[in-house]
Amino acid sequence: MAFEAPTTTEISVDTKKSLRAKIAPNLVFIAPVVMMAVIGIQMPSVLTVTGITSLLVLAAILGIASVGQTWAIITGGIDLSIPAVIGLACVAVAKLTASGVPFGMILLLLLALSIVIGLVHGVLSSVLPIHPLIITLGTGSIITGGVLWATGGRTGGVIPQFITDAVSPVASTGPIPVPAVILLWIVIAVVAILLQSRTAFGLQMYALGANSTAATYALVRPWLVRSVVYTLSAVFAAMTGILLAGFSGTASADIGVPYMFQTLTAVVVGGTSLLGGRGGYGRTIAGVLLTTQFTMLLIGFGVSSNLQQVFLGLVILVLIAIYGRDRHIANRL
């Protein structure tokens, strides 16, 4: 049988497909710029120093909460306990500060609780044949119920002034004319990206999400990797709860509820695969900016907070439907 060389048309089509495959995943990094232009047209008042700083403060809080969600999804799981841990930290910092407990002791307590929560999630999701979605949803319910039981439903308290200052859009950090929360997010983002891309732990996260069986043969200990991931997720969620206490000026066990949708939206919009093994926090940063801008745009159109959750849920469903058609990385090798 004679060999037939590909025609010019076939080569052209293959080249176009290859270019689309390379360009499409990177459009998420351009989208925030486009979205900012749309916001500028619809809401010109946002294009001021205070307006942009306010947007970045909101993005920073969401970005910190999304670190753990990104890594949980990379490992093939998900963390639905993030809203509950946010509420726990928010209430704890307010109640304990009102009781005269030093802030350093509060941080140590929240760190200890985060380690316990992370170990529970990591061990149970590795030992039991149950998806982390179910485990984290269950523990989240336990955490919220425990907070309400311990406080008798009275979650008010005192918010330290320095936390309020850290998230104020008009505040500065020493000689730097930006709020401390934005600088904190930058530091966390740099460390997170380096950790996932330049360390053995980062490689183990991707290996576990790509193929847990193969990862085990490669001497990756799933329970340990998951425990570290979910512990860090709880730590960042607790950090978010403290920041939200300062931002809102009050404490509530339900203050983190919107972050269930928002962290998922940020991760999915960024392009991290819900099937695990692909993506990363660098993409989530773009997703965080887009999610924050989209939420701000909805507010500009007068959409209520409840309807905002509806729109974010629709975005997640649409993207899941699109990304769900993609084959898992283990089936493409």
Side-chain angles (χ1 to χ4, degrees), residues 220-275:
V220 174
R221 288 175 286 185
W223 74 269
L224 181 58
V225 174
R226 291 191 181 110
S227 294
V228 173
V229 165
Y230 285 105
T231 295
L232 290 174
S233 181
V235 168
F236 288 123
M239 195 179 299
T240 303
I242 294 172
L243 294 171
L244 278 176
F247 187 81
S248 65
T250 185
S252 169
D254 297 328
I255 198 169
V257 170
Y259 285 81
M260 178 179 291
F261 283 110
Q262 290 182 10
T263 56
L264 285 172
T265 304
V267 175
V268 175
V269 168
T272 293
S273 174
L274 287 170
L275 301 175

Short mmCIF file of all heavy atoms in Angstrom, two decimals, residues 220-275:
data_model
loop_
_atom_site.label_atom_id
_atom_site.label_comp_id
_atom_site.label_asym_id
_atom_site.label_seq_id
_atom_site.Cartn_x
_atom_site.Cartn_y
_atom_site.Cartn_z
N VAL A 220 4.52 7.31 47.18
CA VAL A 220 3.75 8.44 47.69
C VAL A 220 2.77 7.90 48.73
O VAL A 220 2.07 6.93 48.48
CB VAL A 220 2.98 9.16 46.57
CG1 VAL A 220 2.07 10.22 47.15
CG2 VAL A 220 3.95 9.77 45.58
N ARG A 221 2.73 8.50 49.90
CA ARG A 221 1.80 8.07 50.95
C ARG A 221 0.54 8.94 50.88
O ARG A 221 0.56 10.10 51.35
CB ARG A 221 2.47 8.18 52.31
CG ARG A 221 3.54 7.11 52.54
CD ARG A 221 4.27 7.31 53.84
NE ARG A 221 5.20 8.43 53.75
CZ ARG A 221 6.05 8.77 54.72
NH1 ARG A 221 6.06 8.10 55.85
NH2 ARG A 221 6.87 9.79 54.56
N PRO A 222 -0.54 8.42 50.29
CA PRO A 222 -1.75 9.22 50.08
C PRO A 222 -2.27 9.88 51.35
O PRO A 222 -2.67 11.05 51.33
CB PRO A 222 -2.75 8.21 49.51
CG PRO A 222 -1.89 7.19 48.84
CD PRO A 222 -0.68 7.06 49.72
N TRP A 223 -2.30 9.16 52.46
CA TRP A 223 -2.86 9.71 53.69
C TRP A 223 -2.05 10.91 54.18
O TRP A 223 -2.63 11.88 54.68
CB TRP A 223 -2.93 8.64 54.79
CG TRP A 223 -1.59 8.29 55.38
CD1 TRP A 223 -0.73 7.31 54.96
CD2 TRP A 223 -0.94 8.95 56.47
NE1 TRP A 223 0.40 7.31 55.74
CE2 TRP A 223 0.30 8.30 56.68
CE3 TRP A 223 -1.29 10.01 57.30
CZ2 TRP A 223 1.19 8.69 57.67
CZ3 TRP A 223 -0.41 10.41 58.30
CH2 TRP A 223 0.82 9.75 58.48
N LEU A 224 -0.73 10.84 53.99
CA LEU A 224 0.13 11.94 54.45
C LEU A 224 -0.04 13.18 53.56
O LEU A 224 -0.17 14.30 54.06
CB LEU A 224 1.59 11.49 54.45
CG LEU A 224 2.61 12.54 54.93
CD1 LEU A 224 2.28 12.99 56.34
CD2 LEU A 224 4.02 11.98 54.86
N VAL A 225 -0.04 12.96 52.24
CA VAL A 225 -0.21 14.08 51.31
C VAL A 225 -1.56 14.74 51.53
O VAL A 225 -1.66 15.98 51.63
CB VAL A 225 -0.08 13.61 49.85
CG1 VAL A 225 -0.39 14.76 48.89
CG2 VAL A 225 1.32 13.08 49.58
N ARG A 226 -2.61 13.93 51.64
CA ARG A 226 -3.95 14.49 51.85
C ARG A 226 -4.04 15.20 53.19
O ARG A 226 -4.68 16.25 53.31
CB ARG A 226 -5.00 13.38 51.75
CG ARG A 226 -5.18 12.81 50.35
CD ARG A 226 -6.41 11.92 50.27
NE ARG A 226 -6.56 11.35 48.94
CZ ARG A 226 -6.38 10.07 48.63
NH1 ARG A 226 -6.03 9.21 49.59
NH2 ARG A 226 -6.54 9.65 47.40
N SER A 227 -3.42 14.64 54.21
CA SER A 227 -3.46 15.27 55.53
C SER A 227 -2.81 16.64 55.50
O SER A 227 -3.33 17.61 56.09
CB SER A 227 -2.77 14.38 56.57
OG SER A 227 -3.47 13.16 56.76
N VAL A 228 -1.67 16.75 54.83
CA VAL A 228 -0.98 18.04 54.73
C VAL A 228 -1.83 19.02 53.93
O VAL A 228 -1.99 20.19 54.31
CB VAL A 228 0.41 17.88 54.09
CG1 VAL A 228 1.04 19.25 53.84
CG2 VAL A 228 1.32 17.03 54.97
N VAL A 229 -2.39 18.56 52.81
CA VAL A 229 -3.21 19.43 51.95
C VAL A 229 -4.42 19.96 52.72
O VAL A 229 -4.70 21.17 52.71
CB VAL A 229 -3.66 18.67 50.68
CG1 VAL A 229 -4.79 19.43 49.98
CG2 VAL A 229 -2.49 18.49 49.73
N TYR A 230 -5.13 19.06 53.40
CA TYR A 230 -6.35 19.50 54.09
C TYR A 230 -6.03 20.28 55.36
O TYR A 230 -6.83 21.12 55.79
CB TYR A 230 -7.24 18.29 54.40
CG TYR A 230 -7.95 17.78 53.17
CD1 TYR A 230 -7.55 16.61 52.53
CD2 TYR A 230 -9.01 18.48 52.62
CE1 TYR A 230 -8.18 16.14 51.40
CE2 TYR A 230 -9.67 18.04 51.48
CZ TYR A 230 -9.24 16.86 50.87
OH TYR A 230 -9.88 16.42 49.73
N THR A 231 -4.87 20.04 55.95
CA THR A 231 -4.45 20.87 57.09
C THR A 231 -4.17 22.29 56.63
O THR A 231 -4.61 23.27 57.26
CB THR A 231 -3.19 20.28 57.76
OG1 THR A 231 -3.51 19.00 58.33
CG2 THR A 231 -2.68 21.20 58.85
N LEU A 232 -3.42 22.42 55.53
CA LEU A 232 -3.14 23.75 54.99
C LEU A 232 -4.43 24.44 54.53
O LEU A 232 -4.59 25.65 54.70
CB LEU A 232 -2.16 23.64 53.82
CG LEU A 232 -0.73 23.24 54.21
CD1 LEU A 232 0.12 23.01 52.95
CD2 LEU A 232 -0.09 24.30 55.09
N SER A 233 -5.36 23.66 54.00
CA SER A 233 -6.64 24.23 53.59
C SER A 233 -7.37 24.80 54.80
O SER A 233 -7.94 25.89 54.74
CB SER A 233 -7.51 23.15 52.92
OG SER A 233 -8.74 23.69 52.49
N ALA A 234 -7.34 24.07 55.92
CA ALA A 234 -7.98 24.55 57.14
C ALA A 234 -7.26 25.79 57.69
O ALA A 234 -7.90 26.72 58.18
CB ALA A 234 -8.01 23.44 58.20
N VAL A 235 -5.93 25.80 57.60
CA VAL A 235 -5.15 26.96 58.07
C VAL A 235 -5.53 28.20 57.28
O VAL A 235 -5.77 29.27 57.85
CB VAL A 235 -3.64 26.68 57.97
CG1 VAL A 235 -2.84 27.97 58.16
CG2 VAL A 235 -3.22 25.64 58.99
N PHE A 236 -5.58 28.07 55.95
CA PHE A 236 -5.91 29.22 55.11
C PHE A 236 -7.37 29.64 55.30
O PHE A 236 -7.69 30.83 55.23
CB PHE A 236 -5.63 28.91 53.65
CG PHE A 236 -4.16 28.85 53.32
CD1 PHE A 236 -3.59 27.73 52.75
CD2 PHE A 236 -3.34 29.93 53.58
CE1 PHE A 236 -2.24 27.67 52.46
CE2 PHE A 236 -1.98 29.89 53.29
CZ PHE A 236 -1.43 28.76 52.74
N ALA A 237 -8.25 28.67 55.55
CA ALA A 237 -9.65 29.01 55.81
C ALA A 237 -9.77 29.77 57.13
O ALA A 237 -10.52 30.74 57.23
CB ALA A 237 -10.50 27.73 55.85
N ALA A 238 -9.01 29.33 58.15
CA ALA A 238 -9.02 30.03 59.44
C ALA A 238 -8.47 31.45 59.28
O ALA A 238 -9.00 32.41 59.86
CB ALA A 238 -8.19 29.25 60.46
N MET A 239 -7.42 31.59 58.47
CA MET A 239 -6.86 32.91 58.20
C MET A 239 -7.91 33.80 57.53
O MET A 239 -8.05 34.99 57.87
CB MET A 239 -5.64 32.76 57.29
CG MET A 239 -4.75 33.98 57.20
SD MET A 239 -3.32 33.69 56.11
CE MET A 239 -2.53 32.33 56.98
N THR A 240 -8.66 33.21 56.61
CA THR A 240 -9.74 33.95 55.93
C THR A 240 -10.80 34.39 56.92
O THR A 240 -11.32 35.52 56.85
CB THR A 240 -10.37 33.08 54.84
OG1 THR A 240 -9.37 32.66 53.91
CG2 THR A 240 -11.46 33.85 54.09
N GLY A 241 -11.14 33.51 57.86
CA GLY A 241 -12.15 33.85 58.86
C GLY A 241 -11.72 35.02 59.72
O GLY A 241 -12.54 35.90 60.05
N ILE A 242 -10.44 35.06 60.10
CA ILE A 242 -9.92 36.18 60.89
C ILE A 242 -10.02 37.49 60.09
O ILE A 242 -10.44 38.52 60.61
CB ILE A 242 -8.47 35.91 61.31
CG1 ILE A 242 -8.41 34.72 62.28
CG2 ILE A 242 -7.85 37.15 61.95
CD1 ILE A 242 -7.01 34.25 62.59
N LEU A 243 -9.62 37.42 58.82
CA LEU A 243 -9.67 38.61 57.97
C LEU A 243 -11.10 39.08 57.74
O LEU A 243 -11.38 40.28 57.73
CB LEU A 243 -8.98 38.31 56.63
CG LEU A 243 -7.47 38.03 56.70
CD1 LEU A 243 -6.96 37.53 55.36
CD2 LEU A 243 -6.71 39.28 57.13
N LEU A 244 -12.01 38.13 57.57
CA LEU A 244 -13.42 38.49 57.36
C LEU A 244 -14.02 39.13 58.60
O LEU A 244 -14.90 39.99 58.51
CB LEU A 244 -14.23 37.26 56.95
CG LEU A 244 -14.17 36.87 55.48
CD1 LEU A 244 -14.95 35.58 55.24
CD2 LEU A 244 -14.73 37.98 54.60
N ALA A 245 -13.55 38.70 59.77
CA ALA A 245 -14.03 39.32 61.01
C ALA A 245 -13.67 40.81 61.01
O ALA A 245 -14.48 41.66 61.38
CB ALA A 245 -13.41 38.61 62.22
N GLY A 246 -12.44 41.11 60.57
CA GLY A 246 -12.04 42.51 60.49
C GLY A 246 -12.76 43.27 59.40
O GLY A 246 -13.09 44.45 59.56
N PHE A 247 -13.01 42.59 58.28
CA PHE A 247 -13.65 43.26 57.14
C PHE A 247 -15.12 43.58 57.43
O PHE A 247 -15.61 44.65 57.09
CB PHE A 247 -13.55 42.37 55.90
CG PHE A 247 -14.04 43.03 54.64
CD1 PHE A 247 -13.22 43.91 53.95
CD2 PHE A 247 -15.31 42.77 54.15
CE1 PHE A 247 -13.66 44.52 52.79
CE2 PHE A 247 -15.76 43.38 52.99
CZ PHE A 247 -14.94 44.26 52.31
N SER A 248 -15.81 42.63 58.09
CA SER A 248 -17.24 42.82 58.36
C SER A 248 -17.48 43.56 59.66
O SER A 248 -18.55 44.16 59.85
CB SER A 248 -17.95 41.46 58.41
OG SER A 248 -17.48 40.69 59.50
N GLY A 249 -16.51 43.50 60.57
CA GLY A 249 -16.68 44.17 61.85
C GLY A 249 -17.56 43.41 62.81
O GLY A 249 -17.92 43.91 63.88
N THR A 250 -17.91 42.17 62.46
CA THR A 250 -18.76 41.36 63.32
C THR A 250 -18.37 39.90 63.17
O THR A 250 -17.50 39.56 62.35
CB THR A 250 -20.24 41.55 62.96
OG1 THR A 250 -21.06 40.84 63.90
CG2 THR A 250 -20.54 41.01 61.56
N ALA A 251 -18.99 39.03 63.94
CA ALA A 251 -18.68 37.61 63.89
C ALA A 251 -19.94 36.80 63.66
O ALA A 251 -20.99 37.08 64.24
CB ALA A 251 -18.00 37.16 65.18
N SER A 252 -19.83 35.80 62.80
CA SER A 252 -20.97 34.94 62.51
C SER A 252 -20.46 33.57 62.08
O SER A 252 -19.47 33.46 61.35
CB SER A 252 -21.84 35.54 61.40
OG SER A 252 -22.80 34.61 60.94
N ALA A 253 -21.15 32.53 62.53
CA ALA A 253 -20.76 31.17 62.15
C ALA A 253 -21.05 30.91 60.67
O ALA A 253 -20.48 29.99 60.08
CB ALA A 253 -21.52 30.15 63.00
N ASP A 254 -21.92 31.72 60.07
CA ASP A 254 -22.29 31.53 58.66
C ASP A 254 -21.56 32.48 57.72
O ASP A 254 -21.88 32.52 56.53
CB ASP A 254 -23.81 31.74 58.50
CG ASP A 254 -24.62 30.71 59.27
OD1 ASP A 254 -24.14 29.57 59.40
OD2 ASP A 254 -25.71 31.05 59.76
N ILE A 255 -20.60 33.23 58.22
CA ILE A 255 -19.96 34.25 57.39
C ILE A 255 -19.19 33.64 56.22
O ILE A 255 -18.97 34.28 55.19
CB ILE A 255 -19.00 35.11 58.25
CG1 ILE A 255 -18.67 36.42 57.52
CG2 ILE A 255 -17.72 34.33 58.61
CD1 ILE A 255 -17.96 37.43 58.40
N GLY A 256 -18.82 32.37 56.33
CA GLY A 256 -18.05 31.74 55.26
C GLY A 256 -18.88 31.02 54.22
O GLY A 256 -18.33 30.49 53.25
N VAL A 257 -20.20 31.00 54.39
CA VAL A 257 -21.07 30.26 53.46
C VAL A 257 -20.84 30.63 51.99
O VAL A 257 -20.73 29.74 51.13
CB VAL A 257 -22.55 30.45 53.85
CG1 VAL A 257 -23.47 29.89 52.76
CG2 VAL A 257 -22.83 29.75 55.18
N PRO A 258 -20.75 31.91 51.63
CA PRO A 258 -20.54 32.25 50.21
C PRO A 258 -19.24 31.68 49.64
O PRO A 258 -19.12 31.51 48.42
CB PRO A 258 -20.51 33.79 50.21
CG PRO A 258 -21.24 34.18 51.45
CD PRO A 258 -20.92 33.13 52.45
N TYR A 259 -18.29 31.37 50.50
CA TYR A 259 -16.99 30.92 50.01
C TYR A 259 -16.99 29.47 49.55
O TYR A 259 -16.00 29.02 48.95
CB TYR A 259 -15.92 31.15 51.09
CG TYR A 259 -15.55 32.61 51.19
CD1 TYR A 259 -16.34 33.50 51.90
CD2 TYR A 259 -14.44 33.11 50.52
CE1 TYR A 259 -16.04 34.85 51.95
CE2 TYR A 259 -14.13 34.46 50.58
CZ TYR A 259 -14.93 35.32 51.29
OH TYR A 259 -14.63 36.65 51.33
N MET A 260 -18.06 28.74 49.81
CA MET A 260 -18.15 27.40 49.24
C MET A 260 -18.24 27.51 47.71
O MET A 260 -17.51 26.83 46.98
CB MET A 260 -19.37 26.64 49.77
CG MET A 260 -19.53 25.24 49.15
SD MET A 260 -20.94 24.33 49.80
CE MET A 260 -20.41 24.00 51.47
N PHE A 261 -19.12 28.39 47.24
CA PHE A 261 -19.26 28.59 45.79
C PHE A 261 -18.09 29.39 45.23
O PHE A 261 -17.59 29.09 44.15
CB PHE A 261 -20.58 29.30 45.49
CG PHE A 261 -21.78 28.42 45.56
CD1 PHE A 261 -22.70 28.56 46.58
CD2 PHE A 261 -22.00 27.43 44.62
CE1 PHE A 261 -23.81 27.75 46.65
CE2 PHE A 261 -23.10 26.60 44.68
CZ PHE A 261 -24.02 26.76 45.70
N GLN A 262 -17.67 30.40 45.96
CA GLN A 262 -16.66 31.30 45.40
C GLN A 262 -15.30 30.62 45.24
O GLN A 262 -14.61 30.84 44.24
CB GLN A 262 -16.54 32.55 46.27
CG GLN A 262 -17.76 33.45 46.17
CD GLN A 262 -17.63 34.72 46.99
OE1 GLN A 262 -16.55 35.04 47.49
NE2 GLN A 262 -18.72 35.45 47.13
N THR A 263 -14.88 29.80 46.21
CA THR A 263 -13.60 29.11 46.05
C THR A 263 -13.67 28.09 44.92
O THR A 263 -12.73 27.96 44.12
CB THR A 263 -13.18 28.39 47.35
OG1 THR A 263 -14.22 27.49 47.78
CG2 THR A 263 -12.90 29.40 48.45
N LEU A 264 -14.78 27.38 44.82
CA LEU A 264 -14.95 26.42 43.73
C LEU A 264 -14.96 27.13 42.39
O LEU A 264 -14.34 26.68 41.42
CB LEU A 264 -16.24 25.62 43.92
CG LEU A 264 -16.23 24.54 45.00
CD1 LEU A 264 -17.62 23.97 45.19
CD2 LEU A 264 -15.25 23.43 44.64
N THR A 265 -15.68 28.25 42.32
CA THR A 265 -15.75 29.01 41.08
C THR A 265 -14.37 29.50 40.67
O THR A 265 -13.97 29.39 39.50
CB THR A 265 -16.69 30.22 41.22
OG1 THR A 265 -17.98 29.78 41.64
CG2 THR A 265 -16.84 30.96 39.91
N ALA A 266 -13.61 30.03 41.62
CA ALA A 266 -12.28 30.55 41.33
C ALA A 266 -11.37 29.45 40.78
O ALA A 266 -10.64 29.65 39.80
CB ALA A 266 -11.66 31.16 42.58
N VAL A 267 -11.41 28.28 41.41
CA VAL A 267 -10.55 27.16 40.98
C VAL A 267 -10.97 26.66 39.60
O VAL A 267 -10.13 26.44 38.72
CB VAL A 267 -10.60 26.02 42.01
CG1 VAL A 267 -9.80 24.81 41.50
CG2 VAL A 267 -10.03 26.48 43.34
N VAL A 268 -12.28 26.49 39.41
CA VAL A 268 -12.77 25.95 38.14
C VAL A 268 -12.58 26.95 37.01
O VAL A 268 -12.15 26.59 35.91
CB VAL A 268 -14.26 25.56 38.27
CG1 VAL A 268 -14.82 25.12 36.92
CG2 VAL A 268 -14.41 24.41 39.27
N VAL A 269 -12.90 28.22 37.26
CA VAL A 269 -12.72 29.25 36.23
C VAL A 269 -11.25 29.36 35.86
O VAL A 269 -10.90 29.57 34.68
CB VAL A 269 -13.24 30.62 36.74
CG1 VAL A 269 -12.79 31.75 35.83
CG2 VAL A 269 -14.76 30.60 36.81
N GLY A 270 -10.36 29.19 36.83
CA GLY A 270 -8.93 29.23 36.55
C GLY A 270 -8.45 28.11 35.66
O GLY A 270 -7.39 28.23 35.03
N GLY A 271 -9.20 27.02 35.60
CA GLY A 271 -8.84 25.93 34.70
C GLY A 271 -8.22 24.72 35.36
O GLY A 271 -7.77 23.79 34.68
N THR A 272 -8.17 24.69 36.69
CA THR A 272 -7.70 23.50 37.37
C THR A 272 -8.74 22.39 37.19
O THR A 272 -9.92 22.61 37.43
CB THR A 272 -7.48 23.77 38.88
OG1 THR A 272 -6.39 24.68 39.02
CG2 THR A 272 -7.15 22.49 39.63
N SER A 273 -8.29 21.22 36.77
CA SER A 273 -9.20 20.13 36.43
C SER A 273 -9.86 19.57 37.68
O SER A 273 -9.19 19.23 38.66
CB SER A 273 -8.45 19.01 35.71
OG SER A 273 -9.30 17.89 35.50
N LEU A 274 -11.18 19.45 37.64
CA LEU A 274 -11.91 18.83 38.75
C LEU A 274 -11.63 17.34 38.84
O LEU A 274 -11.98 16.70 39.83
CB LEU A 274 -13.41 19.07 38.57
CG LEU A 274 -13.89 20.50 38.84
CD1 LEU A 274 -15.33 20.65 38.40
CD2 LEU A 274 -13.76 20.84 40.31
N LEU A 275 -11.02 16.79 37.79
CA LEU A 275 -10.68 15.37 37.80
C LEU A 275 -9.37 15.11 38.51
O LEU A 275 -9.01 13.96 38.77
CB LEU A 275 -10.59 14.85 36.35
CG LEU A 275 -11.87 15.02 35.51
CD1 LEU A 275 -11.62 14.59 34.07
CD2 LEU A 275 -13.01 14.21 36.12
#
